[in-house]
Amino acid sequence: MTDTPFAAPTPTLLPIHQSDARFPVRRIYCVGRNYAEHAREMGHDPNREPPFFFTKPGDAATVSGRSLPFPPQTQNLHHEAELVVAIGGCGTDISPAEAEGLIWGYGAGNDLTRRDIQAKAKEMRRPWDMAKGFDHSAIIGALHAKDSLGDMTHGAIRATVNGDIRQSADLSEMIWPVDAVVAYLSRLVTLQPGDLVMTGTPAGVGQIKPGDTCAVEIEGLSPAVVSFR
Protein backbone atom coordinates (compact mmCIF):
# COMPACT_ATOMS: atom_id res chain seq x y z
CA MET A 1 0.00 0.00 0.00
CA THR A 2 1.44 3.37 -1.04
CA ASP A 3 0.85 6.72 0.56
CA THR A 4 -1.27 9.24 -1.32
CA PRO A 5 0.57 12.37 -2.50
CA PHE A 6 -1.78 14.62 -0.51
CA ALA A 7 -4.44 14.36 2.17
CA ALA A 8 -7.92 13.34 1.04
CA PRO A 9 -10.21 16.39 0.81
CA THR A 10 -12.79 16.77 3.54
CA PRO A 11 -16.42 17.21 2.51
CA THR A 12 -18.14 20.56 2.71
CA LEU A 13 -20.02 20.76 6.01
CA LEU A 14 -23.22 22.79 6.26
CA PRO A 15 -24.62 24.11 9.53
CA ILE A 16 -27.77 22.59 10.99
CA HIS A 17 -30.29 24.88 12.64
CA GLN A 18 -30.08 24.84 16.46
CA SER A 19 -27.44 22.10 16.45
CA ASP A 20 -23.68 21.76 16.77
CA ALA A 21 -23.79 18.95 14.22
CA ARG A 22 -22.94 19.52 10.56
CA PHE A 23 -24.36 18.06 7.34
CA PRO A 24 -21.62 16.64 5.05
CA VAL A 25 -22.35 17.35 1.39
CA ARG A 26 -21.87 14.56 -1.15
CA ARG A 27 -23.44 15.72 -4.43
CA ILE A 28 -25.68 18.59 -5.51
CA TYR A 29 -28.46 17.88 -8.00
CA CYS A 30 -30.45 20.76 -9.46
CA VAL A 31 -33.84 20.71 -11.18
CA GLY A 32 -34.33 22.94 -14.20
CA ARG A 33 -37.52 24.86 -14.95
CA ASN A 34 -39.72 23.55 -12.13
CA TYR A 35 -41.94 26.64 -11.87
CA ALA A 36 -44.24 27.38 -14.81
CA GLU A 37 -43.66 31.14 -14.92
CA HIS A 38 -39.87 30.72 -14.81
CA ALA A 39 -40.05 28.15 -17.61
CA ARG A 40 -42.01 30.66 -19.67
CA GLU A 41 -39.63 33.55 -18.93
CA MET A 42 -36.79 31.33 -20.20
CA GLY A 43 -38.75 30.59 -23.40
CA HIS A 44 -40.07 27.08 -22.69
CA ASP A 45 -43.46 25.40 -22.40
CA PRO A 46 -43.79 23.97 -18.85
CA ASN A 47 -46.60 21.63 -19.89
CA ARG A 48 -44.41 19.52 -22.16
CA GLU A 49 -41.37 18.67 -20.08
CA PRO A 50 -40.60 16.06 -17.43
CA PRO A 51 -38.07 17.21 -14.81
CA PHE A 52 -34.46 17.43 -15.95
CA PHE A 53 -31.34 17.74 -13.85
CA PHE A 54 -27.88 19.23 -13.85
CA THR A 55 -25.25 19.07 -11.11
CA LYS A 56 -22.90 21.24 -9.12
CA PRO A 57 -19.80 19.92 -7.34
CA GLY A 58 -20.34 19.18 -3.67
CA ASP A 59 -17.76 21.80 -2.72
CA ALA A 60 -19.73 24.48 -4.58
CA ALA A 61 -21.98 24.51 -1.49
CA THR A 62 -21.24 27.66 0.51
CA VAL A 63 -22.66 28.62 3.88
CA SER A 64 -24.90 31.63 4.20
CA GLY A 65 -23.53 34.98 5.31
CA ARG A 66 -20.26 35.09 3.42
CA SER A 67 -18.81 38.02 1.50
CA LEU A 68 -17.31 36.62 -1.69
CA PRO A 69 -15.23 37.91 -4.57
CA PHE A 70 -17.38 38.41 -7.65
CA PRO A 71 -17.22 35.26 -9.84
CA PRO A 72 -14.77 35.49 -12.75
CA GLN A 73 -15.60 35.40 -16.46
CA THR A 74 -19.12 36.80 -16.18
CA GLN A 75 -20.86 40.09 -16.71
CA ASN A 76 -24.31 38.69 -15.96
CA LEU A 77 -24.50 36.79 -12.67
CA HIS A 78 -28.07 35.75 -11.76
CA HIS A 79 -29.76 34.76 -8.50
CA GLU A 80 -32.14 31.79 -8.40
CA ALA A 81 -34.07 31.23 -5.15
CA GLU A 82 -34.67 27.53 -4.46
CA LEU A 83 -35.88 25.09 -1.83
CA VAL A 84 -33.06 22.65 -1.01
CA VAL A 85 -33.82 19.06 -0.03
CA ALA A 86 -31.21 17.32 2.14
CA ILE A 87 -31.09 13.57 1.61
CA GLY A 88 -30.41 11.34 4.61
CA GLY A 89 -31.15 7.87 3.23
CA CYS A 90 -30.18 5.63 0.34
CA GLY A 91 -32.56 4.76 -2.46
CA THR A 92 -32.88 3.93 -6.12
CA ASP A 93 -35.97 3.69 -8.33
CA ILE A 94 -38.29 4.66 -5.48
CA SER A 95 -41.90 5.83 -5.70
CA PRO A 96 -43.08 9.31 -4.68
CA ALA A 97 -44.70 7.71 -1.62
CA GLU A 98 -41.30 6.35 -0.56
CA ALA A 99 -39.44 9.62 -1.13
CA GLU A 100 -40.28 11.04 2.29
CA GLY A 101 -38.23 8.26 3.87
CA LEU A 102 -35.08 9.50 2.17
CA ILE A 103 -35.47 13.15 3.12
CA TRP A 104 -33.53 14.35 6.17
CA GLY A 105 -34.42 18.04 5.98
CA TYR A 106 -34.69 21.28 4.04
CA GLY A 107 -32.89 24.56 3.49
CA ALA A 108 -33.04 27.78 1.50
CA GLY A 109 -30.62 28.00 -1.41
CA ASN A 110 -29.39 30.28 -4.17
CA ASP A 111 -28.45 28.55 -7.44
CA LEU A 112 -26.05 31.21 -8.74
CA THR A 113 -25.78 31.22 -12.52
CA ARG A 114 -23.33 32.86 -14.93
CA ARG A 115 -26.14 33.56 -17.38
CA ASP A 116 -23.93 34.90 -20.16
CA ILE A 117 -21.80 31.73 -20.13
CA GLN A 118 -24.96 29.62 -20.07
CA ALA A 119 -26.49 31.51 -23.01
CA LYS A 120 -23.33 31.09 -25.08
CA ALA A 121 -23.14 27.37 -24.30
CA LYS A 122 -26.78 26.90 -25.28
CA GLU A 123 -26.20 28.82 -28.51
CA MET A 124 -23.30 26.52 -29.38
CA ARG A 125 -25.11 23.38 -28.13
CA ARG A 126 -22.40 22.73 -25.59
CA PRO A 127 -22.68 21.68 -21.93
CA TRP A 128 -23.20 24.58 -19.53
CA ASP A 129 -21.41 23.13 -16.49
CA MET A 130 -19.25 26.23 -16.10
CA ALA A 131 -22.37 28.41 -15.98
CA LYS A 132 -23.68 26.51 -12.97
CA GLY A 133 -20.88 24.57 -11.27
CA PHE A 134 -18.33 27.27 -10.51
CA ASP A 135 -16.79 27.97 -7.08
CA HIS A 136 -19.30 29.07 -4.40
CA SER A 137 -22.23 28.73 -6.81
CA ALA A 138 -24.64 27.15 -4.30
CA ILE A 139 -25.35 29.40 -1.34
CA ILE A 140 -27.13 27.33 1.33
CA GLY A 141 -28.79 28.52 4.53
CA ALA A 142 -28.65 26.45 7.73
CA LEU A 143 -30.46 23.16 7.16
CA HIS A 144 -33.54 22.26 9.20
CA ALA A 145 -34.43 18.69 10.13
CA LYS A 146 -37.77 17.78 8.58
CA ASP A 147 -39.19 16.71 11.95
CA SER A 148 -38.98 20.34 13.10
CA LEU A 149 -40.95 21.62 10.10
CA GLY A 150 -44.47 21.52 8.83
CA ASP A 151 -45.52 20.44 5.36
CA MET A 152 -43.03 21.90 2.85
CA THR A 153 -45.43 21.59 -0.08
CA HIS A 154 -46.36 25.23 0.40
CA GLY A 155 -44.86 28.39 1.86
CA ALA A 156 -43.52 31.72 0.62
CA ILE A 157 -40.22 31.79 -1.28
CA ARG A 158 -38.51 35.00 -2.33
CA ALA A 159 -35.20 36.56 -3.31
CA THR A 160 -34.16 40.11 -2.51
CA VAL A 161 -31.20 42.12 -3.76
CA ASN A 162 -30.19 44.97 -1.47
CA GLY A 163 -33.61 44.63 0.15
CA ASP A 164 -35.60 44.91 -3.09
CA ILE A 165 -37.84 41.93 -3.87
CA ARG A 166 -36.84 40.23 -7.13
CA GLN A 167 -38.55 36.83 -6.84
CA SER A 168 -41.74 36.10 -4.92
CA ALA A 169 -43.79 32.91 -5.18
CA ASP A 170 -45.07 29.92 -3.22
CA LEU A 171 -43.63 26.41 -3.03
CA SER A 172 -47.04 25.09 -4.09
CA GLU A 173 -46.34 26.52 -7.57
CA MET A 174 -43.76 23.82 -8.32
CA ILE A 175 -44.65 21.83 -11.44
CA TRP A 176 -43.08 18.72 -9.88
CA PRO A 177 -43.41 18.64 -6.05
CA VAL A 178 -40.57 17.46 -3.85
CA ASP A 179 -41.66 13.82 -3.58
CA ALA A 180 -42.00 13.53 -7.36
CA VAL A 181 -38.62 15.20 -7.94
CA VAL A 182 -36.82 12.87 -5.52
CA ALA A 183 -38.52 9.79 -6.96
CA TYR A 184 -37.74 10.76 -10.57
CA LEU A 185 -34.11 11.52 -9.73
CA SER A 186 -33.77 8.12 -8.02
CA ARG A 187 -34.54 6.47 -11.36
CA LEU A 188 -31.40 8.10 -12.80
CA VAL A 189 -28.92 7.78 -9.91
CA THR A 190 -28.73 6.12 -6.52
CA LEU A 191 -29.43 8.80 -3.94
CA GLN A 192 -27.13 8.72 -0.91
CA PRO A 193 -26.92 10.46 2.47
CA GLY A 194 -25.31 13.85 2.00
CA ASP A 195 -26.93 14.58 -1.37
CA LEU A 196 -28.67 17.92 -1.86
CA VAL A 197 -31.47 18.50 -4.35
CA MET A 198 -32.13 22.09 -5.42
CA THR A 199 -35.73 22.02 -6.59
CA GLY A 200 -35.96 24.84 -9.13
CA THR A 201 -36.59 28.57 -9.06
CA PRO A 202 -39.67 30.74 -9.60
CA ALA A 203 -39.93 33.60 -12.08
CA GLY A 204 -38.02 36.82 -11.56
CA VAL A 205 -34.41 35.66 -11.81
CA GLY A 206 -32.12 38.61 -12.34
CA GLN A 207 -28.71 40.16 -12.14
CA ILE A 208 -26.44 40.55 -9.12
CA LYS A 209 -23.56 43.02 -9.33
CA PRO A 210 -20.40 43.61 -7.30
CA GLY A 211 -21.37 45.32 -4.05
CA ASP A 212 -24.82 43.69 -3.94
CA THR A 213 -26.24 41.54 -1.17
CA CYS A 214 -28.71 38.82 -2.15
CA ALA A 215 -30.95 36.97 0.31
CA VAL A 216 -33.15 33.94 -0.35
CA GLU A 217 -35.90 33.48 2.20
CA ILE A 218 -38.32 30.56 2.52
CA GLU A 219 -41.06 30.47 5.11
CA GLY A 220 -39.93 28.49 8.16
CA LEU A 221 -36.27 28.19 7.10
CA SER A 222 -33.05 30.07 7.74
CA PRO A 223 -32.14 32.48 4.93
CA ALA A 224 -29.35 32.00 2.39
CA VAL A 225 -27.47 35.29 2.18
CA VAL A 226 -24.44 36.28 0.13
CA SER A 227 -22.70 39.53 -0.73
CA PHE A 228 -20.18 40.21 -3.47
CA ARG A 229 -17.19 42.51 -3.48
Side-chain angles (χ1 to χ4, degrees), residues 108-128:
N110 194 341
D111 168 20
L112 296 174
T113 303
R114 294 192 282 203
R115 193 70 74 196
D116 41 2
I117 293 179
Q118 184 187 43
K120 187 66 174 178
K122 288 180 176 180
E123 177 186 335
M124 301 181 72
R125 297 186 177 183
R126 292 178 177 174
W128 28 280

Side-chain angles (χ1 to χ4, degrees), residues 107-182:
N110 194 341
D111 168 20
L112 296 174
T113 303
R114 294 192 282 203
R115 193 70 74 196
D116 41 2
I117 293 179
Q118 184 187 43
K120 187 66 174 178
K122 288 180 176 180
E123 177 186 335
M124 301 181 72
R125 297 186 177 183
R126 292 178 177 174
W128 28 280
D129 300 61
M130 290 300 99
K132 289 285 192 177
F134 53 97
D135 298 342
H136 307 302
S137 59
I139 311 301
I140 312 291
L143 299 176
H144 292 238
K146 70 178 181 181
D147 294 343
S148 66
L149 300 170
D151 184 356
M152 294 303 293
T153 60
H154 64 279
I157 176 173
R158 72 175 190 171
T160 62
V161 176
N162 303 328
D164 296 329
I165 297 175
R166 295 279 191 85
Q167 294 178 272
S168 182
D170 194 276
L171 299 176
S172 62
E173 298 173 35
M174 287 187 191
I175 298 170
W176 295 84
V178 167
D179 57 355
V181 166
V182 172

